[in-house]
Amino acid sequence: DHGDLTGAFAFFGQSSSSTHGFTFGGDNTGVNNQINKYSFSSAGNAVDHGDLISEVSGNAGASNGSHGFSIGGNHSSVKTSVIEKFPHESSSGGVDHGDLTADRCNPSGHSSATHGYCAGGSASSGPTYRSDIDKFAFASNTTAADHGNLNQGKEYPCGDHSSTTHGFFGGGTGSIQNIDKFAFASNTTAATHGNLSVGKYAGAGQSSTTDGYSSGGQTTPTINVIDKFAFSSNTTASDHGDLNVSARG
């Protein structure tokens, strides 16, 4: 146990500085726009860190160290394409940072050193689940560009991971087990990168410099398993312990 958020939230965006974690938006007896900030180094409760412009849930997150980015989501029961940006060091709140190529809810979010990426999700029109990957610059406020596709359309990732060179989308709605891998440097269709230990969706994703971790998620029932897989090799994930509760979203 590392403390508590300021409220009970589900399906929110996440970002990280070198010292703190941030959650933003999500469901809490209704969609909200609050940004939470908590310390990595010491156990304690999160504090209010300002607000996004809009109330949103099912949004993805990306980070460039100094700022967090809220990507897409569901606003007032309408899916949105908006990207918001907020500073990690001050609680001044979110500002507009352009748009995705189309609206989407429950996608994955990924970060290179210079760009954010948004993959999959569901849309207001077209296929139920999106397979396309969007790319946008951290440095400038512009509309995102198309950056290839996942192997199939899916939403509710059970881990949106980033190495220094690639993004990884694990699991998805329908208890999908496979992990997709796509390059930050080139616009191509993603490749299969092994499997999670079980098919699941709506879990949390974490990244070290060498490995991805997929925590919790929904199968039948909700589970507490933490999976670990190597960024460098295509293998089935291994068990890396358990969360202290079963959780999804």
Side-chain angles (χ1 to χ4, degrees):
D1 189 348
H2 194 74
D4 296 298
L5 299 175
T6 59
F9 300 96
F11 302 107
F12 45 77
Q14 304 171 81
S15 66
S16 303
S17 71
S18 59
T19 58
H20 289 80
F22 301 81
T23 71
F24 35 92
D27 286 314
N28 178 334
T29 63
V31 181
N32 87 102
N33 63 349
Q34 186 178 352
I35 304 169
N36 275 221
K37 175 182 181 179
Y38 62 91
S39 172
F40 289 147
S41 63
S42 58
N45 293 337
V47 297
D48 190 305
H49 191 70
D51 296 308
L52 300 174
I53 299 169
S54 300
E55 296 174 336
V56 66
S57 68
N59 49 322
S63 313
N64 69 346
S66 63
H67 290 79
F69 297 80
S70 176
I71 308 167
N74 193 342
H75 170 61
S76 299
S77 300
V78 177
K79 295 179 174 68
T80 180
S81 63
V82 172
I83 304 167
E84 285 194 44
K85 170 184 177 179
F86 69 90
H88 284 153
E89 293 304 315
S90 68
S91 56
S92 56
V95 296
D96 186 85
H97 192 75
D99 294 281
L100 300 171
T101 58
D103 60 59
R104 64 176 84 197
C105 187
N106 306 312
S108 66
H110 310 268
S111 307
S112 73
T114 59
H115 290 78
Y117 300 80
C118 179
S122 60
S124 298
S125 60
T128 302
Y129 302 135
R130 300 188 70 90
S131 63
D132 52 321
I133 304 166
D134 276 8
K135 173 182 179 179
F136 65 91
F138 289 142
S140 58
N141 182 333
T142 57
T143 299
D146 182 80
H147 192 73
N149 294 281
L150 300 171
N151 283 317
Q152 65 185 97
K154 48 189 176 180
E155 65 173 343
Y156 288 117
C158 209
D160 32 3
H161 321 276
S162 301
S163 72
T164 56
T165 58
H166 289 78
F168 299 80
F169 186 120
T173 301
S175 297
I176 294 171
Q177 189 174 3
N178 72 283
I179 303 165
D180 280 14
K181 173 183 178 179
F182 66 91
F184 291 146
S186 58
N187 181 335
T188 57
T189 298
T192 298
H193 190 74
N195 294 288
L196 301 174
S197 62
V198 64
K200 55 182 182 175
Y201 66 94
Q206 297 83 23
S207 304
S208 73
T209 55
T210 58
D211 296 273
Y213 301 81
S214 176
S215 307
Q218 179 73 46
T219 56
T220 304
T222 305
I223 60 176
N224 64 352
V225 174
I226 304 169
D227 276 4
K228 175 182 177 179
F229 66 93
F231 288 146
S232 61
S233 58
N234 182 334
T235 57
T236 297
S238 60
D239 190 300
H240 192 70
D242 297 307
L243 302 173
N244 62 11
V245 293
S246 296
R248 68 165 187 161

